[in-house]
Amino acid sequence: MAVYVDDAIWNFAGRKWCHLMADSEEELHRFAARLGVHRSSYQGPPKTAAPHYDITGFERDRAIRMGALAVSRAEILAVYRGVRRPGEKQRRQLV
């Protein structure tokens, strides 16, 4: 199991933001709590397609120091879709 953060690329409220995701929702919530991100910041179904937290660039740096994997925008989209982990070839066949 892993936790991922993409590049902090979009601006909002004077800060740069990115996504925090994990291989499971449980892991995502545990990591976010350790990071100090409030559960009220969680975004997931049915509101959004993929469970995630939007975090600041500052929180991203802390998350990486805590063990989250820094991934590209393309890699985090693959995690969103559940098709493959970053750096892996497709791990399951889509029917």
Side-chain angles (χ1 to χ4, degrees):
M1 297 271 197
V3 177
Y4 311 92
V5 290
D6 62 1
D7 298 322
I9 58 169
W10 81 90
N11 293 306
F12 178 75
R15 297 183 179 159
K16 293 210 179 256
W17 295 81
C18 63
H19 299 102
L20 177 73
M21 295 187 66
D23 289 333
S24 74
E25 278 190 59
E26 287 178 14
E27 186 173 19
L28 175 63
H29 294 307
R30 260 194 319 271
F31 193 92
R34 285 182 39 228
L35 186 59
V37 177
H38 294 276
R39 182 73 177 254
S40 61
S41 299
Y42 170 72
Q43 297 181 38
K47 188 176 174 183
T48 63
H52 71 281
Y53 287 85
D54 291 338
I55 62 173
T56 66
F58 175 76
E59 291 165 326
R60 178 186 186 274
D61 292 342
R62 285 188 49 234
I64 292 168
R65 287 194 307 271
M66 292 171 55
L69 301 173
V71 297
S72 69
R73 183 79 173 147
E75 289 170 318
I76 202 98
L77 288 173
V79 173
Y80 270 178
R81 294 180 184 123
V83 175
R84 64 179 171 83
R85 286 183 172 197
E88 287 183 344
K89 300 224 186 244
Q90 188 169 330
R91 72 174 184 238
R92 65 179 173 161
Q93 288 193 343
L94 302 177
V95 180

